[in-house]
Amino acid sequence: MSAPPVPICLVGPTAAGKTAAALALAEREPCEVISVDSALVYCGMDIGTAKPSLAERAAVTHHLIDVRDPLQAYSAAEFVADATRLVAEVQARGRRPLLVGGTLLYLKALFDGLDDMPKANPAVRAELEADAARWGWPALHARLASVDPTTAARLSPNDSQRIQRALEVYRLTGQPLAHFHTAKAARPAKAWPLVSLEPTDRSWLHLRIAQRFDAMLAGGFLEEVQALRARGDLHPNLPSMRCVGYRQAWEALDGACRMADLREKGIAATRQLAKRQITWLRSMPQRHVVACDDPTALSQVLALVKSIA
């Protein structure tokens, strides 16, 4: 019996061309895509997440898209459980699993494993949210830096979701997040090939981000957020509504910033996300880098996968 197809991980910052590369790979051999994206899990959030189109999903089977309502959370631990199951199922069908996305916390958790972290504590979270409402998230980021400098160093001062979680874990355990993210020696890390699309010229990526945000606005992104707000059960502190673009659109619709500033704020936030993603990627020395701003990037990805898989 032949060995099952080795999973391939295709990662990179936002707007680097991961979806196009995945579709090109799927044209070469039977594959199924397992999304590694914390925003694509949410139903009804299509335009602002640059979700693969229905035609693209019809051409290639995609998993872990539209699996949560925006009112619900989706954790790294849930991703690890779902992705592990899906990889085995895809391999059993004789197809290659393609893990595609830019939520690198998910990928790191899948590769290295997560020790048991405490579950969310509503009381602690309420206290932290009250503190943030009073002093602002940058002040809580400074608090995090005093007890967990490693985590604070990789988070934006306004990354409320992750700042809150890191402080919550410290409050409950007295340990920084790194304590729980460290793989145990008895649990070997996965060694699946990791192909990373990264720009050699950051301005190329900035232009792509701006063009895509403009296309989202033209495609009805603001109307999409208005429809989510009209549900009446969503609020800006939910993980779904903290996604880049959605947070800025919600603020604009609330009048917290001028509607005329939405484009600039959305593009700036997306650039910051890309910068954090690239920082994460550089901490993964095992990755095979392809310059996404090279005109031959797609052919390079295809050749690289053929040589390593």
Side-chain angles (χ1 to χ4, degrees), residues 84-103:
T84 301
R85 170 181 54 81
L86 286 165
V87 164
E89 291 175 357
V90 173
Q91 289 177 318
R93 289 191 283 271
R95 296 172 174 267
R96 187 183 302 281
L98 292 180
L99 291 92
V100 182
T103 301

Side-chain angles (χ1 to χ4, degrees), residues 16-41:
K18 298 181 292 294
T19 296
L23 293 173
L25 284 169
E27 289 179 355
R28 296 282 294 267
E29 66 171 310
C31 298
E32 294 184 28
V33 172
I34 299 171
S35 172
V36 187
D37 191 301
S38 60
L40 297 190
V41 300

Side-chain angles (χ1 to χ4, degrees), residues 53-200:
S53 68
L54 292 177
E56 289 168 336
R57 283 181 270 169
V60 181
T61 300
H62 284 65
H63 302 278
L64 298 186
I65 293 178
D66 292 342
V67 296
R68 287 291 185 277
D69 183 85
L71 196 58
Q72 301 171 309
Y74 187 72
S75 69
E78 289 175 299
F79 169 79
V80 169
D82 288 341
T84 301
R85 170 181 54 81
L86 286 165
V87 164
E89 291 175 357
V90 173
Q91 289 177 318
R93 289 191 283 271
R95 296 172 174 267
R96 187 183 302 281
L98 292 180
L99 291 92
V100 182
T103 301
L104 300 167
L105 173 64
Y106 284 6
L107 198 65
K108 184 173 176 60
L110 181 63
F111 276 16
D112 299 342
L114 286 173
D115 286 339
D116 293 331
M117 283 195 289
K119 293 182 179 179
N121 185 297
V124 172
R125 291 197 165 190
E127 290 177 19
L128 292 169
E129 287 176 1
D131 287 349
R134 183 176 180 184
W135 294 302
W137 284 108
L140 269 69
H141 181 267
R143 184 190 302 178
L144 177 63
S146 69
V147 297
D148 186 354
T150 301
T151 300
R154 63 177 177 80
L155 298 182
S156 161
N158 289 302
D159 192 344
S160 55
Q161 179 184 354
R162 292 181 176 86
I163 292 170
Q164 182 188 56
R165 178 56 176 160
L167 285 171
E168 176 189 32
V169 168
Y170 187 83
R171 282 276 300 276
L172 292 172
T173 68
Q175 298 284 354
L177 276 181
H179 172 80
F180 298 94
H181 287 171
T182 301
K184 293 181 179 177
R187 184 172 52 205
K190 291 181 174 63
W192 297 337
L194 180 63
V195 178
S196 182
L197 289 164
E198 301 174 29
T200 54

Side-chain angles (χ1 to χ4, degrees), residues 28 298-308:
R28 296 282 294 267
L298 278 180
S299 61
Q300 288 184 50
V301 169
L302 294 173
L304 179 58
V305 169
K306 184 177 181 180
S307 69
I308 63 179

